[in-house]
Every structure is written in structure tokens, then in C-alpha cells.
């Protein structure tokens, strides 16, 4: 009888839930225990599309951090408030107060960095690297510590070391690109950004980095003189990034402005009209949209857009200047502007 009961229990346990949640949690945690967090990420991303649970979000956040994707982890935490389970969970041993294993060390270090405990974070990173000297994610944490200390040379040096250990780690190349840009080496920064998208073609942030660097290298940030070839070369990676999906409103503003400068007025209008619906939209979005509408001879709409912006941001200089210019233009017309 005991054997039959055990067999029945085993059969029930072997039947996965309809949403496959238990299977995905177990697989992801095993991958993380094997120090393969980048493979756990897609498993947990799929899990989070199937269920809504703080623990699922928490695990995905841990996988992001272990994979060197700190920004994704912070964004996820802000959106979901994912947290460890309140019940006893054997999977939590590695990230519990005991801080056993690499997984626990990484969580402990991330917590210290986020809370501003710089000295403790340095000591924890140094101790962990003695045990796991070739771990790319630990080196990424060390690079973050150097960045927070304002030590750009050490920031770059540590990421170079990480990239040599794992030359195909897209996030490391992206992080190194940002560090090199800060150090003033724009061409090598661009090279590293290209390596990032070579390793991960759907890496939207790296495509944006390529676009921003081309924008600066071509001098488009300092001159209003149009350079069609430079604008086209700058817009190509921006187009790629936005096709994949971009969240930051500041990037939408830059994209809309570049589309305007390149004469892609319909695209610019679409991007900017979507941008001004966002709660965190920059006042300049209304200003650039007004210019886009004016370039299409939609002067009434251009003036209305500038006034709408001023209603939200009274006294904003760009909007005030544009509104006054359009008022003067409209007062000298008969009102038939084709809009």
C-alpha cells in the first residue's frame, strides 16, 4: 500500500501545471545555481508573461542582475515590486541571510551597492572574486563600484578584463562602450557597441548607443548644418532600436528631432505625437512637433501645439518663441493655411 501511495503521488507530481510555472521556476533556479543566469532570463521572461506573481518577478530580477543587466533589474523592480516569498523556500538558501554561494554573494553585493554601502560592497566583491576570479558578473559589479567612485580608468579596465574572459557577452560590450564614451574614446566605444549588437542583434539599448555615438562623432550635436549622409548613418541604428522597442522618453525626443532634421516629417510627427502623451515628456517635444507641423504647412496645428505646450509649461522659452512667431505669421495671413 505504501508503494502504491508513493507511486500515485509521483504521478501527480510529474504532471506539470497548465501554465508550466513550477517547471519554469525549477529550470531557471537550476540554471542560476549552475552559474548560467543568462540562460535563465528567457525562461523567467516567459514565466512572467504566463503568471503575475511577486516571486516570479523577483526571480527574473535576480537573473537580470546575475547577467549584468542591472538597469533591467531596477526597471522591473520599480514596475512589479517583486519580492522573495514570505514562506520557507529551499530555493532561497543561496540568497538568504546566510549568503551562501555565488548567487547569494551577487544579491548581497547588489544590495550593498544600491544602499550606498560602498566600503562593504568593495570588501564583498573582493572576497567573492578570490573564490570566483573569472566570473564576468562579479567583474561587472566591480566595474559598477569603480564607476560609483568616479574612477573611470578602473571602470574601463575591469570591463576590458570581463570582455576578454567572455568575448561574446553582449551586455559587457555595451557596458564597456558606455565606460569608454565617458573616458572620451568615442571610436572604441562605437566598436564595442557594434560588438554588442553582433552578439545580440535584438539588443535595443546597444543600437541606441551606436546611434548616439554616431550623432556625437559626426558633430550633429554641435551644429545645425545638415549633413545628409551623417544623418542617415545616425538614424539607421535609431530605426533599428525603435523597431525593437525603446522606453526612455528622452530617446524618443532625440529620435523625433533627428527625423525632423532628416526631412522624414511624417515619421517625426508620429513619434512626437506619441511622446507628448507621456507624463514625463520634455517640453521641447511640443516645440519640435510645432516645427514639424510648420514644415508641412500645417500652421494652425503648429500654433495650437505650441500653445498646448505653454499651457503645460508656462514661460518655457522655446515654446514662447515659437508661439510668438506663429502668432505673427498668422496675423499677417488670411487664415487659409491648408491645415
Amino acid at each position: 500500500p505504501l508503494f502504491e501511495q508513493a507511486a500515485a503521488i509521483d504521478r501527480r507530481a510529474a504532471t506539470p501545471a497548465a501554465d508550466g510555472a513550477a517547471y519554469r521556476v525549477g529550470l531557471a533556479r537550476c540554471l542560476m545555481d549552475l552559474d548560467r543566469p543568462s540562460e535563465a532570463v528567457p525562461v523567467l521572461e516567459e514565466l512572467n508573461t504566463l503568471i503575475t506573481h511577486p516571486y516570479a518577478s523577483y526571480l527574473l530580477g535576480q537573473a537580470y542582475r546575475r547577467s549584468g543587466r542591472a538597469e533591467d533589474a531596477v526597471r522591473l523592480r520599480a514596475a512589479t515590486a517583486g519580492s522573495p516569498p514570505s514562506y520557507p523556500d529551499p530555493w532561497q538558501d543561496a540568497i538568504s541571510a546566510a549568503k551562501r554561494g555565488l548567487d547569494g554573494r551577487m544579491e548581497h553585493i547588489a544590495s550593498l551597492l544600491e544602499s550606498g554601502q560602498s566600503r562593504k560592497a568593495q570588501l564583498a566583491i573582493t572576497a567573492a572574486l578570490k573564490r570566483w576570479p573569472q566570473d564576468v558578473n562579479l567583474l561587472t559589479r566591480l566595474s559598477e563600484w569603480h564607476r560609483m567612485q568616479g574612477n573611470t580608468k578602473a571602470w574601463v579596465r575591469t570591463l576590458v578584463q570581463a570582455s576578454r574572459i567572455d568575448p561574446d557577452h553582449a551586455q559587457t560590450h555595451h557596458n564597456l562602450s558606455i565606460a569608454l564614451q565617458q573616458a572620451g574614446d568615442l571610436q572604441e566605444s562605437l566598436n564595442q557597441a557594434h560588438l554588442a549588437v553582433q552578439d545580440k542583434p535584438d539588443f535595443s539599448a546597444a543600437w541606441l548607443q551606436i546611434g548616439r555615438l554616431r550623432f556625437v562623432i559626426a558633430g550633429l550635436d554641435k551644429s545645425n548644418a545638415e549633413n545628409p549622409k551623417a544623418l542617415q548613418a545616425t538614424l539607421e541604428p535609431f530605426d533599428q532600436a525603435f523597431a525593437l522597442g525603446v522606453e526612455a522618453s528622452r530617446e524618443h525626443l532625440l529620435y523625433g528631432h533627428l527625423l525632423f532634421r532628416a526631412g522624414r516629417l511624417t515619421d517625426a510627427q508620429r513619434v512626437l505625437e506619441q511622446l507628448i502623451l507621456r507624463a514625463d515628456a520634455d517640453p521641447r517635444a511640443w516645440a519640435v512637433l510645432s516645427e514639424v507641423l510648420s514644415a508641412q504647412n500645417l500652421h494652425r496645428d503648429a500654433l495650437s501645439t505650441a500653445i498646448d505646450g505653454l499651457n503645460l509649461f508656462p514661460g518655457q522659452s522655446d515654446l514662447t518663441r515659437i508661439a510668438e512667431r506663429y502668432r505673427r505669421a498668422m496675423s499677417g495671413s488670411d487664415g487659409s493655411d491648408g491645415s
Side-chain angles (χ1 to χ4, degrees):
L2 288 176
F3 177 80
E4 291 175 359
Q5 292 175 23
I9 292 171
D10 183 64
R11 282 194 297 273
R12 288 197 299 272
T15 304
D19 57 20
Y23 161 75
R24 289 178 173 84
V25 168
L27 175 59
R29 289 299 312 189
C30 286
L31 288 168
M32 291 172 72
D33 286 348
L34 291 170
D35 195 22
R36 293 157 60 183
S38 60
E39 295 177 49
V41 166
V43 175
L44 291 168
E45 286 178 335
E46 184 179 18
L47 171 64
N48 277 266
T49 66
L50 297 171
I51 65 171
T52 301
H53 194 282
Y55 185 44
S57 300
Y58 174 72
L59 289 178
L60 178 56
Q62 298 306 308
Y64 279 148
R65 290 193 184 284
R66 288 279 308 279
S67 302
R69 296 169 58 178
E71 291 184 2
D72 289 333
V74 170
R75 189 180 303 114
L76 178 70
R77 185 173 181 177
T80 64
S83 58
S86 58
Y87 50 82
D89 178 12
W91 288 109
Q92 287 299 103
D93 286 347
I95 46 178
S96 67
K99 302 300 177 188
R100 293 191 295 272
L102 179 58
D103 192 23
R105 298 288 184 93
M106 293 295 294
E107 169 63 9
H108 181 53
I109 290 166
S111 177
L112 291 172
L113 288 171
E114 287 181 2
S115 61
Q117 299 182 64
S118 176
R119 178 59 178 165
K120 289 184 178 180
Q122 181 195 24
L123 293 173
I125 293 169
T126 301
L129 281 169
K130 288 180 179 178
R131 183 172 178 182
W132 297 283
Q134 299 293 303
D135 186 79
V136 169
N137 299 308
L138 273 175
L139 288 170
T140 298
R141 290 291 175 268
L142 179 59
S143 75
E144 290 176 10
W145 184 84
H146 286 309
R147 177 185 60 78
M148 294 169 68
Q149 301 305 305
N151 190 339
T152 302
K153 289 184 178 180
W155 180 19
V156 170
R157 184 176 63 249
T158 305
L159 288 169
V160 168
Q161 181 183 353
S163 69
R164 288 172 178 167
I165 292 171
D166 186 355
D168 299 323
H169 197 289
Q171 187 67 48
T172 299
H173 289 301
H174 180 252
N175 293 343
L176 180 53
S177 175
I178 293 171
L180 287 164
Q181 182 181 11
Q182 184 68 28
D185 191 346
L186 299 185
Q187 189 55 56
E188 184 55 29
S189 175
L190 182 59
N191 293 341
Q192 290 296 323
H194 277 290
L195 287 173
V197 297
Q198 178 180 309
D199 293 334
K200 193 174 188 297
D202 62 348
F203 197 167
S204 177
W207 284 111
L208 280 178
Q209 177 70 352
I210 293 173
R212 286 192 297 263
L213 286 165
R214 289 183 179 178
F215 177 68
V216 173
I217 290 171
L220 295 173
D221 59 327
K222 297 179 180 178
S223 173
N224 290 323
E226 300 308 353
N227 182 334
K229 288 186 178 179
L231 277 170
Q232 177 61 28
T234 298
L235 274 170
E236 286 173 358
F238 272 98
D239 289 338
Q240 188 74 26
F242 276 83
L244 293 167
V246 175
E247 288 297 324
S249 291
R250 66 180 181 278
E251 306 295 354
H252 287 253
L253 178 59
L254 177 57
Y255 186 41
H257 188 224
L258 287 171
L259 289 167
F260 169 52
R261 290 178 65 175
R264 291 169 55 182
L265 301 181
T266 301
D267 289 337
Q269 181 178 343
R270 170 180 50 80
V271 169
L272 293 164
E273 284 180 341
Q274 293 173 356
L275 175 57
I276 63 174
L277 298 176
R278 293 181 168 216
D280 63 343
D282 189 294
R284 290 173 295 177
W286 281 263
V288 180
L289 179 56
S290 283
E291 300 284 17
V292 170
L293 294 167
S294 177
Q296 299 176 82
N297 294 319
L298 301 173
H299 296 298
R300 290 188 185 278
D301 290 340
L303 175 58
S304 175
T305 298
I307 292 173
D308 287 344
L310 281 171
N311 288 334
L312 293 170
F313 307 97
Q316 206 279 336
S317 58
D318 290 334
L319 290 168
T320 299
R321 173 179 51 78
I322 291 170
E324 287 302 317
R325 188 181 77 212
Y326 289 141
R327 282 196 184 99
R328 287 194 299 270
M330 292 294 291
S331 65
S333 72
D334 61 6
S336 57
D337 55 27
S339 62

